[in-house]
Amino acid sequence: MTGSLRDALAEIADHAPVADIPDDLWESAHRPRRRTVVAAAFAAAAVIASAAGLGIVLHHESPPPATPIPGPGAVPSHIYRIPDRLTGPLETDLAVGRSSVAYMTQAGIPVVVTARDGRYHLLGLPAFLGQDDAGGFSTLLGTGFALSPDGRSLAYAYAAGYDAAGTPSVTGVRVLDLETGGIRTVELPPQGQGTQVRLVTWSPDSRWLAWEGQVASSWHSGAADFRDAARGRIAPGATTSQPLETRLGSEAGMAVDDRGVVVTVDGNRVAVSPRRGPERIRPVHPTPREVRSSEMAAHALAYDPTGQHVTIASTMPSARAYRLDTHRLTYQARALPALAGSGSWVLPLGWLSRSDGLVSVSEVRPVIGRSDSYTGATVEAGRIVLTRWKGGEPSSRVVARLDELMPDTVSVAVDLMTAAQPTHAFPPPRWPSSTPWSTIAGLSGLGALGLGWLGFVALARRRARR
């Protein structure tokens, strides 16, 4: 029986039709499995990339807090340049606290360094001329911007109420209280199409202000033409400015003392503007060549606490700092450290006492063949130098380093310095990540896409089992 059944089955098999099996059947059966594995790996990588992107975002928005030092704070021994890639976000809560240093970036962004923690703040100052100027001429020609000697206030030029052509309706000076965030506005009387304030300077007691600017005959988006110089004096707490005579050139330096007396120096001429009475102009002879350069823009001078001496800016080639005795009308010089060779730019920063003055010394690399000209020159790293003017052997010493900054925008809170301990070594700043926001957004988008694809594959497999 068993043998007959085997024979019958063999006979059936011999006569049955042959099945046609495709050669790629095995490959086709395994393809969905591989697709699922690849999709899962892709999604996992995307999730990891998304997490990395989120980590970069968090690092960008939350730089590590700095540890405050005791007391009112200090001036840093190294003043760093904000990287060019960092143009924001700008801080709109302006109550950042007492600050030690202020300067402007090449893009016209105001920066302050808070005194207790050494942190760098990019400020969004309302209507600040350096930021709101679409044409960029204010940054090139100078923009009023100065930290007070006590580090509590920041004065800056503003322009507001632009019309469709880009012409401002109001211009003037604003004073920011860095501790409260409050702003005092000093609107200048209408002249021409507005006054571009190129310079503001403080009295040693941080109460008076003096300013210099130019009246625009044409001011619109992208360009401006200026005709007349303008100067003024702002009393403590005032919201108006007292105009001053402008018989000296627009490239003169200015300073104001604790009584509100303004001195304007244009090389070999000195103009003194008392609080009452006419301006007096007197000649100064001899005048050092370095303080008579025709290439010097309007700049701040620095009165000492006695109201008798002012430190003067000097141009290349210069290896000395100068001060002017406004009573005797004589210049006095002090040699600077060897770092200031031919090609240096010396600018006043203030006084720590009646004997100790502070200047910045920036190295300038001139165009080949034009060692006596700033045209096309490159400003390199510099130093802050403390110079003793009175008593004993004259001395000058470096107290801080400057990165490649625009030196004529730098101001320092000298009230936070002493001759014995002028600066403090804060840790180097940790700038936010350099990863572009487009890359971060791409990583995050990739992560979201991966999560979506993973969910789709899981749903498809679940339906396939049903």
Side-chain angles (χ1 to χ4, degrees):
M1 182 68 180
T2 303
S4 299
L5 178 61
R6 185 184 298 110
D7 293 338
L9 292 174
E11 184 178 355
I12 293 171
D14 291 337
H15 292 86
V18 178
D20 185 15
I21 301 175
D23 295 336
D24 63 344
L25 179 62
W26 179 263
E27 180 72 12
S28 300
H30 280 70
R31 192 173 296 138
R33 170 64 179 168
R34 284 200 304 270
R35 188 182 297 121
T36 301
V37 172
V38 171
F42 175 83
V47 170
I48 294 172
S50 179
L54 180 60
I56 293 174
V57 172
L58 291 176
H59 174 67
H60 183 97
E61 294 182 346
S62 304
T67 303
I69 62 174
V75 172
S77 58
H78 188 160
I79 301 171
Y80 293 86
R81 173 182 175 176
I82 294 282
D84 292 340
R85 58 182 169 78
L86 294 182
T87 57
L90 304 182
E91 297 184 40
T92 55
D93 181 358
L94 302 177
V96 295
R98 194 174 184 180
S99 298
S100 58
V101 177
Y103 67 87
M104 281 173 52
T105 68
Q106 290 283 353
I109 298 174
V111 178
V112 296
V113 182
T114 37
R116 293 197 60 207
D117 55 16
R119 290 190 65 179
Y120 288 68
H121 302 262
L122 280 67
L123 301 183
L125 300 177
F128 176 50
L129 187 55
Q131 289 170 260
D132 291 345
D133 167 29
F137 63 83
S138 64
T139 304
L140 295 173
L141 300 178
T143 300
F145 177 75
L147 181 69
S148 61
D150 63 9
R152 292 188 166 93
S153 300
L154 184 70
Y156 68 91
Y158 85 97
Y162 290 91
D163 60 20
T167 303
S169 60
V170 291
T171 54
V173 176
R174 282 181 169 169
V175 181
L176 166 66
D177 187 321
L178 291 166
E179 295 177 313
T180 67
I183 294 178
R184 170 165 54 104
T185 296
V186 181
E187 182 179 334
L188 299 181
Q191 295 187 74
Q193 290 196 339
T195 301
Q196 181 211 355
V197 176
R198 303 190 304 167
L199 164 73
V200 288
T201 182
W202 289 91
S203 61
D205 63 1
S206 301
R207 300 177 68 239
W208 288 85
L209 279 165
W211 62 269
E212 186 275 344
Q214 290 179 301
V215 177
S217 57
S218 171
W219 187 334
H220 54 84
S221 297
D225 292 320
F226 300 100
R227 61 182 189 197
D228 300 321
R231 295 187 178 94
R233 166 174 45 208
I234 302 171
T239 56
T240 58
S241 171
Q242 176 191 357
L244 299 176
E245 296 183 69
T246 56
R247 289 185 287 169
L248 294 189
S250 61
E251 308 304 316
M254 289 185 71
V256 57
D257 71 5
D258 292 345
R259 301 166 298 161
V261 175
V262 175
V263 62
T264 307
V265 180
D266 183 11
N268 57 3
R269 295 185 301 166
V270 176
V272 178
S273 302
R275 290 181 59 186
R276 296 178 179 83
E279 178 181 72
R280 300 189 305 273
I281 297 180
R282 301 166 67 186
V284 183
H285 296 291
T287 300
R289 176 183 178 276
E290 295 94 327
V291 301
R292 290 187 286 109
S293 172
S294 60
E295 296 202 8
M296 293 185 64
H299 54 279
L301 310 180
Y303 255 118
D304 71 356
T306 68
Q308 179 173 347
H309 300 95
V310 290
T311 42
I312 306 292
S314 56
T315 62
M316 63 183 188
S318 176
R320 293 186 289 182
Y322 292 91
R323 76 171 183 177
L324 172 68
D325 186 325
T326 60
H327 295 176
R328 300 176 180 175
L329 296 180
T330 56
Y331 281 105
Q332 185 179 9
R334 283 286 183 269
L336 295 173
L339 64 96
S342 62
S344 62
W345 191 2
V346 182
L347 292 171
L349 291 175
W351 291 78
L352 281 60
S353 67
R354 60 192 305 168
S355 302
D356 299 298
L358 199 70
V359 297
S360 69
V361 183
S362 297
E363 291 299 308
V364 180
R365 186 173 64 228
V367 176
I368 296 176
R370 300 192 64 189
S371 60
D372 61 343
S373 174
Y374 281 112
T375 304
T378 302
V379 178
E380 299 180 338
R383 301 289 188 269
I384 291 180
V385 178
L386 182 62
T387 300
R388 178 167 288 274
W389 290 94
K390 189 175 181 180
E393 187 69 21
S395 63
S396 296
R397 59 189 173 102
V398 175
V399 297
R401 295 176 56 194
L402 281 174
D403 278 357
E404 298 86 348
L405 306 175
M406 294 193 296
D408 53 336
T409 72
V410 177
S411 48
V412 174
V414 292
D415 288 1
L416 298 174
M417 307 174 73
T418 64
Q421 189 173 0
T423 57
H424 176 78
F426 288 96
R430 292 179 59 185
W431 308 120
S433 169
S434 61
T435 304
W437 284 104
S438 57
T439 303
I440 295 173
L443 288 170
S444 301
L446 182 64
L449 180 62
L451 290 173
W453 179 251
L454 185 61
F456 172 79
V457 171
L459 181 61
R461 293 189 63 188
R462 185 173 181 182
R463 288 181 176 177
R465 294 194 187 101
R466 293 180 180 177

